[in-house]
Amino acid sequence: LGDIFCSPSCCEFHDKASLARDVMGNSLTAMLRKQAYRAATFAYSRYRTSGVPRPGLRILMYHAIGTPVAGDIHGLYSMSVARFEEQMRFLATNYANHLVQLDKSSLDVGSSLHIALTFDDGYRDNLLAAAPLLISLGIPFTVFICTGAVAEKRAGFLNRDDVKHLAVLPGAQIGSHSINHPHLTESNDRNLHNELVGSKYYLEDLLGREIDMISYPNGSVNDRVRNMANQVGYHLGACSRFDVNPPDRDPLLLCRTDIWAQDDMLIFDQKLRGDWDWYRWRSTDRSNK
């Protein structure tokens, strides 16, 4: 089955050759992958036996809503507005008491489930399409922004005024997603420091408040990156490793649940419940917990 259990890292700026190799291959591979995912999810749900959602802090990871994502040749990270609305209304109806703002205190879940919503990269549709719906439903959310896209006034991304507008909306939070979206583990110490500090200071100067959360671009994090993030003043770091977070999880290495554009409501509910958490075994856990 080859690469059936491979998937891309998060976000827009992936290496296209790697994306093509890891995501699709050809139509037969895609079909086999879908069947393998379904089988693995069914088997894991049987293994869990309880049927109730796994407790912990589950952080949902989105990207663009209704906007094409450059480099995402298979459309994993640009969800339709209609599908996003369907998922959010499902959340508000079935998990209203579980929805929380992302911060350190949200890890204090006991034996219950908390759900936090995040967006990576800083697409303008997060403000125009997602935010009005989320506010109307009372769902808090966090947008992790690549400040290079803002500073360069890149088409399709939030601009300076957009970021300021977004930051004062009810339930909205802003975090850093670096300046240029590099693989941080491959950056030398100087460039790593610049990416972490530069994006933090840019947003703090723009908004007049502390920025203490970061989402690591491409899910690229190791001990060196984590420790540097801590050193420069981040208190919470979001990874791309697929899982729910127990109360003792390292707050600078939080797992997230990737929501893909093709996820129907069955898959979405399975991911919320934890039936897809077998996916965590695809990658190494960087947490020392």
Side-chain angles (χ1 to χ4, degrees):
L1 299 185
D3 66 348
I4 285 175
F5 287 100
C6 292
S7 78
S9 304
C10 74
C11 308
E12 171 200 11
F13 307 89
H14 299 297
D15 176 78
K16 293 183 180 180
S18 175
L19 185 64
R21 181 184 67 249
D22 291 344
V23 182
M24 293 296 291
N26 54 47
S27 58
L28 176 60
T29 301
M31 181 185 69
L32 291 172
R33 179 182 296 106
K34 184 176 182 180
Q35 292 175 352
Y37 282 3
R38 185 178 300 164
T41 300
F42 176 78
Y44 187 70
S45 67
R46 291 292 185 177
Y47 166 77
R48 294 204 307 115
T49 68
S50 67
V52 301
R54 289 186 68 209
L57 172 62
R58 185 167 300 280
I59 306 171
L60 307 185
M61 177 169 58
Y62 289 87
H63 294 79
I65 308 300
T67 300
V69 173
D72 181 18
I73 60 177
H74 301 294
L76 291 179
Y77 299 117
S78 178
M79 178 170 289
S80 72
V81 173
R83 177 155 290 181
F84 180 73
E85 180 173 351
E86 185 179 23
Q87 292 181 358
M88 294 305 101
R89 293 195 182 280
F90 180 84
L91 269 182
T93 300
N94 297 281
Y95 290 91
N97 295 330
H98 302 271
L99 297 170
V100 298
Q101 188 70 272
L102 181 61
D103 55 35
K104 274 189 173 182
S105 67
S106 59
L107 275 169
D108 185 18
V109 295
S111 59
S112 62
L113 170 69
H114 287 175
I115 300 172
L117 201 70
T118 66
F119 298 84
D120 275 5
D121 299 337
Y123 294 98
R124 197 160 191 255
D125 60 47
N126 295 174
L127 171 65
L128 301 181
L133 175 65
L134 295 172
I135 292 169
S136 70
L137 296 174
I139 301 176
F141 61 101
T142 301
V143 179
F144 292 105
I145 296 173
C146 284
T147 56
V150 178
E152 296 167 9
K153 301 179 181 178
R154 198 174 302 167
F157 289 85
L158 298 162
N159 59 39
R160 288 175 60 89
D161 289 340
D162 291 334
V163 176
K164 289 190 284 187
H165 183 189
L166 183 63
V168 298
L169 293 178
Q173 287 190 139
I174 302 296
S176 164
H177 199 45
S178 80
I179 300 174
N180 299 306
H181 204 284
H183 287 267
L184 295 175
T185 57
E186 300 173 8
S187 302
N188 61 38
D189 286 348
R190 179 178 179 180
N191 290 338
L192 171 60
H193 184 271
N194 288 343
E195 287 286 342
L196 296 177
V197 170
S199 56
K200 176 178 168 66
Y201 287 0
Y202 183 95
L203 292 169
E204 289 178 341
D205 288 344
L206 179 62
L207 301 176
R209 67 180 70 167
E210 182 183 13
I211 299 297
D212 63 358
M213 297 189 296
I214 185 168
S215 165
Y216 304 108
N218 307 295
S220 180
V221 61
N222 55 20
D223 289 342
R224 182 175 67 98
V225 173
R226 179 253 181 239
N227 292 339
M228 180 73 77
N230 182 56
Q231 179 182 329
V232 303
Y234 291 107
H235 300 148
L236 183 151
C239 304
S240 296
R241 186 172 188 269
F242 203 109
D243 205 0
V244 72
N245 298 282
D248 64 348
R249 182 74 185 179
D250 185 340
L252 280 164
L253 292 171
L254 295 179
C255 298
R256 289 189 290 176
T257 298
D258 205 350
I259 307 298
W260 300 316
Q262 296 88 347
D263 289 350
D264 58 24
M265 292 309 299
L266 172 61
I267 292 175
F268 184 63
D269 192 33
Q270 288 173 336
K271 288 184 173 182
L272 292 175
R273 290 177 173 275
D275 291 342
W276 272 71
D277 288 350
W278 58 267
Y279 206 70
R280 68 186 183 272
W281 293 319
R282 288 187 60 258
S283 56
T284 301
D285 188 1
R286 297 293 182 183
S287 178
N288 55 11
K289 293 290 186 182

